[in-house]
Amino acid sequence: MSKELFVKKYSDKVEALDNGSFLVSYEDWKDMSKHINKIGFDYLMCITSYDLAVDEKLGLAYNFYSTDKKEYLEIRIEFHNSDKIFSVANIWRTANWHEREAYDMMGILFDGHPDMKRILLPEDWEGHPLRKDWKEPDFYNGMPVPKDKSYWE
Amino acid sequence: MYKILDKSIIGADEMVLNMGPQHPSTHGVLRLKIVTDGEVVSHIEPIIGYLHRCFEKHCENLSYEQIAPFADRCDYLAAMHMGHAYAISVEKLLGIEELPSRVEYIRVILAEFQRISSHLIAIGVFGLDVGAITPFTWTLRDRERIIDLFEQVTGARLLYNYIWPGGLAHDLPPTFVNKALEFLDYFEPQIEEYNNLLTTNKIFIERSADVGVMPKDVAINYGVTGPSLRGSGMPFDLRKDEPYSIYSKFDFDVPIGEGLMGTVGDSWDRYYVKVLEMKESIKILRQALPQIPDGDVQSALPKKIRPKKGEIYSRYETARGDVGFYIRSGGKNTPTRLKMRSPAYCNLSVLNEISAGWMISDVITVLGSLDIVLGEIDR
Amino acid sequence: MSEYINNIIYGVKSFITGMNLTLKHFRNKKDLVATLQYPNEKWPLPERNIGFDPSEYNVIRSRLHVDIDDCIGCLQCERACPVDCIKIDTIKPPKGSDFDCGKTSHDTQKKMIVPRFTIDMSECMYCDLCVHPCPEECIYMVGGPNEPKHEIDYEFSQYERHGLVFEFATATDQDIIDIGAEDYLKERKAKEEKRIKGENLKGVVHQEDSVSSALSDPITPVAAAPVAAAPVAAAPVAAVPIDFNIKSIDFIEDKTVRGTAKKAFMGAKRAKLEGAAMIDFIIAELDKASKLDDDIKNTLEGFKGGKN
Amino acid sequence: MTSALDYLIELLAFTGLDHSILVVLAIHIPALAIFLVMVVNATIAVYVERKVAAFMQDRLGPMEVGLFGFKGGRRFWGGIGQTIADAIKLLTKEDIVPDNADKKLMLLAPFIIFIGAFLTFIAVPFSENLVVSDFNVGIFYIIAMSSVGVIGIILAGWSSNNKWSLYGAMRAAAQIVSYEIPIGLTLLLVVIVAGSLNLGDIVQWQADNRWFIIHSPFTFVAFFIYFISVVAETNRTPFDIPEAESELVAGWMTEYSGFKWAIFFLSEYANMLIVSIVASVVFLGGWLSPLAILNIGIPESWMILDGPILGFFWVMLKALFLVFVMMWFRWTFPRLRVDQLMYLCWKVFIPFCLANLFFVSIWELISGTIFR
C-alpha cells in the first residue's frame, strides 16, 4: 500500500486529518512530493487553493491517485500567504497550469515553477479575487466598475 | 514529426502566429500563440481565460441549490454530466448514501444519452477540423434527436438543471422509454455511416493517424483523462474502475486505442475511442431502459442543504474526462471554496507536448482530437 | 512497393464508399432531409403531462408566468433565484386594519398585498429553481402554442429590452392607499424617476453625478500628462509619503470644480504621478480650467506636507 | 473549324469600316459574351453548389429568396434568387482594406486572377465553331493562361499583410505550380495520340476513331489523373489547402471583402467550368453526341444531334457533370495536408503520367502497325 509507505516514512512530520488526508508543513513539501511520486502516485488529480481567512493563512490541497493501485492520497499544506511553496510542476506536468491558477486566483507563490504568470485573468489584473479579503476595485483599466445599479434597476 | 533544420545554416527566423481567440477551429475563444518555422510548429502556448465567468467566485456567494445551474453552464455540451457530477459531490458532502433506484436509473440513462450527444459533436467537429463538412451536419442531425428527448424530459434543450443534489427536478414523462428505444434503433446504423464516410476514409486516416502521438506515461503525467487517455491505450474509466451511481450493474467494455491505423495514442485513436464509446453507451442504455423501477424521484431531496464543516473531493467521468469537485464547507448554506477540476483544462495543457514539431494543420487536428470545451476550461 | 500499391487501392476503395454514401443521401433527400422550415412549419413542442396538475402543466421552459391572484407574497421564488431577476415588494396591512387581501385558489388567506412583482426575462437563466419552492404553485414556466392554459407566442420574441421586463402585480394605487401605505407610492415614484433619468443617460454618466464620472473625458489629462510631468520631475519631490487619495478631494464644495479635480486626479494616476507631483498636476489642471481659487490651492498645497 | 471572331468580322464587314477598327469592335462582342458566361455560370453554380451541399448533408439549403415573385419548388428547389441577392449584397458591401496592406497590389490581385480566367475562355470551345479564337496551339495556350492566376494569388496573399494570407498564398503557389506538371503530361499524351495541339483537331480525331477516355487503358487512367489534378489546380476540396477554412481562416482571401471578394468567387467558378470543358473536349469527345459511340443503329437523320448547335448542349452536359463531380468531391472528402498533397503529385501522379506516356507510345506503335 503506497499510502502506508508515505505515512511510514514521514510519520513524525504529518498530521492525519479526520477525512483521511494529511496536513504537512510547507518546508517538508519538497522532499515529500518527490517521495510521493516515487511510491506510485503518478496522477495528480487536482490542486485546490483555499483561503482560511485567519492570520492571512492560505492552504493548498493536493489530490493524488495511483493508477496502478487505485489509491487516493490527499495532502494539505497551510501556510502564511508570503511563503513560497515548492512547485511540483516538474514532477507532475499537470501541476503547471493548476499552480498558475492557484497563483492567479489566490496569490500563492511557487518556487521553481517554469512559467509563473496569470492564466485565467488578464495580465494587468490587480489582486487575487478568490481571497476572502479581496475587494472589488473601483476602476478597471480606467473604466469605472458599475456598483450603483439603482439607475438601471 | 518534422525535424526543423539547423537554423544557423539557412538563417531562417521563426514567426509567431496568433491563432484565435476568433478562429474557425479553436472550438471557442481559445488563443494559441504558435511559433512556426514555415509550416512547421516549434512551440505552442495556449492562452485561455477569454470565457472566464468567475464560476468559483460565484459559488462562494450562492447556496448549494443555486450552484447547480451554474455547474451546468461550465461544460455546455455535456450539461447533464456536470449536473450529475455536482449532485454526486454534494451528496457525498451531505453523507447521502442511498438514493431511490429510480433516480439512479434516470440519471444514468440521461448521462449516457448526454455522452452520445457530446461525442457526436466531438466526432463531427473533428471531421470539420480536417476539412470534411458533411459528417458534421450528419452528427448534428442525430444529436438534435437526443436533444429532443432531453427537451421532453427536462423542458430545456441545452442547459437542463435537471439533476439536483439528492434527486431530480421532476419525473420522466411516460412516453420517454419508448421514444428512447426508438431513437436507439434509428441511431445504431448511423454509426456505420459515419465510419464509412469519415473513419475509414483514406484521407482522414492520412491526416489523423500517427499525428500527435501521446504515449501513456505522458498522458498520465499531464493529467489527461477521458477518451484522450483511453486513446493512449490506458483502460481507465471511472465508470468501471470506481463505479459511482449504479454503473456496476451494467455490462459494458472500456474501449481503448489500439493503434489500428498507426501508433497507439495518435489522433485517430482518440477519435475512434469516441465512436466505440457511443456503442458502449448504447449497450448500457439498452440494459437500463427496460428496467427503470418505479418510485418517487424527489423523496430523497434534502429540505435544506447545509452540510457540516469539512471537505470532499469527488470525481465523475464526463464525456471529456475526469471532472472533480473539491468542496470545502464551512457549515453554512454556501460553500467556502468550490474548486472544479475540469478535464479539458488538463487535456489542453498537453497540446504543446504532443503537437510541437508538426505542421499547422496537424495542430488543428490534435486540438480537435482532444475535444475541448472552452466553457469548462475557463469556468 | 506493395504498400504503395495497397495504399492507392485502399484509398480508391474508401473514396468510392464515401462517394456512394453521399450520393445516396443526395438521391434519397425526400426521406433524409431533416431541416424544418421554421416560420412555415413548426415543430410541435413535446407535451408533458406531469407536474402539479397533469392537464395544465408543461415543463417546457420558454417564459415565466405568475398567476398573481394566487400569490401570497412569501418571497420564496425571489430567494431561490440565482440571478436575482425576480423583484417583489409586499405591503402588510397595519395591525387592526380590516383590509381584506383576498384568498388564493387553494383557499389560503393572503396576509399582504403585492404591489410589485417584476420578472426581468432578459436576466433569467431558465433554471426553473423558482418554480419548485412556491407553496401556491402560482409561478411556473410556460411553453409554446400547445400550452393549454396560456396561449402565447411561439418564441416570445421582443423588439426591445423593455418588453422582457414583465410586471405581474395587479394591485392598484387605490389598494395601496387603502392599505395605508402612501409612503410606498412616493418611494416608487422617486425610484421610477431615477430609473427614467438613468435611461435617458443612455449609459453615459455625467461628471457631476458620480465619482466614476471622472473619466467621461479621458483624453485630455492623458495628453496633458507628459507636459505637466516634465517640470514636476525637475522639482524636488518631497520624500515624506503623502496620504493623498481621491477622497481627499471631497473638501471642494463646488460640484463642477470637484469633478474637474477628480478628472485631473485620474489623469495623474494614469500618468503614474504620485504624491506631490500629483497634487501639482491637479492644481495645474484646475488653473487651466480657471476654477482654481486660493482656498483650494492652499488646501491642496497643504496635503503635500502630509497634513490631511 | 472557324472561330467566332472571324465570323463576326465578316458579319460586320457591311459597315464598310476599316479592317483594324472592325477587329477592335469585334473583339468587344465576344468579350462581353464571355463576361456574361462567367457571371451566369457563377450565379447558377453557387446556387447549385449550395443545393448539392445541402442535399448531401440532409439539409435544404437556400429556400426563401425568390426571383420575380417565383420562389422555386416548395419542398426542395426553392430560393432560386438567393445567389442574386448575395451578389447584390457583395457589391454593396464596404470594401475593407487593412491599414498596413499594400493597397495598390491588393486592388490589383483579384483582377489578375480574373484576367487569367477570362483569357483562358478565348481558346475554350463551347461547340464546333463556337470558339472566340481558334488557336493552332489551343491546349498549350489554355495551360499557359490558367497559370496566370497564381500570380494574382501570391499578390493577394502578400499585399494583404496578414500571416494567414501569406500562408495561403505560399501553399497555393506550391500547389498550382506542382500540379501543372501532371496536367501538362496528361494532355501531352492526348497530343501524342491525336498529333495536334488544336482542340478542334483533337475532337475531329475522336470523331474519326473513338473518345479518348475509352481509347486505351492508359488514356483512361490519364483522364482521372487529369481530372484530379485540375481539382487541385482550382483549389477545390480535398485540395483546398490554400484557403483551408479550418486552418487558415480563408487563406489568401482572408482580408478581402465585398466586390473584390466577389471577383475571386467569379474566377473560381469560371476556372471550374474551364477545366471541365477542357476535360470534356479532350477526353469525352467534346461536342460529339454520346449516342454515336454506342453505335446502336441510330438512323442517319438523328445524327443532327452531332451538329454544331446541339454540340453546345453536349459539351455543357459533359462539363456540368464534371462540375457536379467536383462538388460531390467537396462534400465527401476531408482535406489533405500540404506535404500529402505534394506526395500525391510528385510520387503518385507524375510517375504514373510518365509511365502512361511511355506505354501509350508503345500502344500506338503496335496498334498503328499491327492492328490496323
Side-chain angles (χ1 to χ4, degrees), chain C residues 227-243:
Chain C
V227 185
V232 168
V237 180
V240 260
I242 295 171
D243 184 17

Side-chain angles (χ1 to χ4, degrees), chain B residues 65-66 69-70 73 138 141 151-155 159-161 164 169-171 174 193 197 200 202-203 205, chain C residues 7 10-11 14-15 21 24-25 34 43 45-46 48-50 59-61 79-82 125 127 129 132:
Chain B
E65 295 96 331
Q66 288 176 339
F70 285 94
R73 278 155 177 77
W138 290 5
R141 175 199 67 202
E151 187 181 16
Q152 200 194 4
V153 178
T154 68
L159 304 162
Y160 312 108
N161 187 25
W164 287 357
H170 35 69
D171 208 343
E193 270 197 2
L197 184 68
T200 58
K202 183 68 183 163
I203 298 177
I205 292 168
Chain C
N7 264 336
Y10 179 83
S14 74
F15 296 163
L21 203 57
K24 195 187 102 194
H25 277 250
W43 194 259
L45 286 176
R48 284 294 306 248
N49 54 0
I50 58 159
V59 292
I60 302 305
R61 302 182 206 162
R79 264 182 239 127
C81 182
M125 73 198 283
C127 64
L129 282 177
H132 295 263

Side-chain angles (χ1 to χ4, degrees), chain C:
Chain C
M1 189 65 191
S2 72
E3 199 194 330
Y4 175 84
I5 300 286
N6 280 343
N7 264 336
I8 292 175
I9 291 169
Y10 179 83
V12 171
K13 260 191 200 162
S14 74
F15 296 163
I16 291 169
T17 323
M19 287 179 69
N20 265 335
L21 203 57
T22 38
L23 190 67
K24 195 187 102 194
H25 277 250
F26 181 73
R27 282 169 42 198
N28 300 353
K29 52 186 172 290
K30 224 167 211 158
D31 314 321
L32 295 170
V33 163
T35 312
L36 199 76
Q37 287 199 266
Y38 166 59
N40 304 331
E41 320 168 51
K42 284 176 185 175
W43 194 259
L45 286 176
E47 282 173 40
R48 284 294 306 248
N49 54 0
I50 58 159
F52 305 132
D53 186 352
S55 60
E56 290 176 351
Y57 188 65
N58 189 325
V59 292
I60 302 305
R61 302 182 206 162
S62 289
R63 210 191 81 189
L64 273 173
H65 187 84
V66 183
D67 287 343
I68 195 68
D69 293 342
D70 284 359
C71 179
I72 56 168
C74 64
L75 305 187
Q76 298 254 34
C77 48
E78 192 183 17
R79 264 182 239 127
C81 182
V83 288
D84 297 340
C85 76
I86 304 174
K87 284 166 199 110
I88 307 174
D89 289 343
T90 54
I91 305 174
K92 242 189 176 143
K95 265 192 186 149
S97 140
D98 55 348
F99 186 84
D100 182 24
C101 298
K103 276 188 176 179
T104 68
S105 57
H106 292 219
D107 265 355
T108 317
Q109 175 63 42
K110 289 199 227 170
K111 293 205 177 68
M112 51 191 92
I113 62 163
V114 182
R116 180 191 189 198
F117 198 123
T118 321
I119 298 181
D120 189 346
M121 289 310 286
S122 65
E123 282 181 22
C124 178
M125 73 198 283
Y126 298 89
C127 64
D128 222 16
L129 282 177
C130 53
V131 175
H132 295 263
C134 183
E136 296 293 324
E137 296 164 7
C138 72
I139 181 168
Y140 47 86
M141 287 277 182
V142 288
N146 54 0
E147 169 69 36
K149 201 168 173 186
H150 295 275
E151 248 183 76
I152 319 176
D153 276 356
Y154 194 79
E155 58 286 85
F156 301 114
S157 51
Q158 297 287 343
Y159 286 100
E160 281 181 28
R161 193 179 171 277
H162 275 309
L164 287 167
V165 183
F166 294 97
E167 172 64 63
F168 292 101
T170 50
T172 56
D173 289 0
Q174 192 55 45
D175 290 343
I176 297 168
I177 293 166
D178 284 351
I179 208 169
E182 285 88 353
D183 291 351
Y184 175 80
L185 279 179
K186 268 183 217 151
E187 229 171 78
R188 189 162 80 176
K189 207 174 169 201
K191 246 187 195 171
E192 177 70 16
E193 270 164 12
K194 198 175 179 193
R195 188 183 66 76
I196 290 170
K197 193 176 162 198
E199 245 160 41
N200 291 338
L201 289 175
K202 296 212 164 96
V204 182
V205 183
H206 291 296
Q207 42 177 290
E208 58 267 24
D209 289 329
S210 101
V211 178
S212 53
S213 61
L215 293 164
S216 56
D217 182 10
I219 300 143
T220 347
V222 173
V227 185
V232 168
V237 180
V240 260
I242 295 171
D243 184 17
F244 183 79
N245 54 34
I246 195 154
K247 292 232 169 78
S248 316
I249 301 171
D250 287 355
F251 72 92
I252 304 173
E253 284 185 8
D254 191 338
K255 260 188 189 173
T256 51
V257 180
R258 193 162 69 218
T260 319
K262 281 182 177 169
K263 202 196 258 179
F265 177 86
M266 291 315 296
K269 200 168 182 190
R270 230 174 294 115
K272 302 229 163 55
L273 300 177
E274 268 181 20
M278 182 187 262
I279 294 170
D280 282 341
F281 179 73
I282 293 172
I283 291 172
E285 280 293 312
L286 284 175
D287 202 8
K288 222 186 280 172
S290 61
K291 279 174 184 164
L292 190 68
D293 60 28
D294 286 340
D295 270 340
I296 296 171
K297 189 173 180 181
N298 287 339
T299 325
L300 282 173
E301 295 281 356
F303 283 123
K304 277 193 198 171
K307 121 186 174 224
N308 196 350

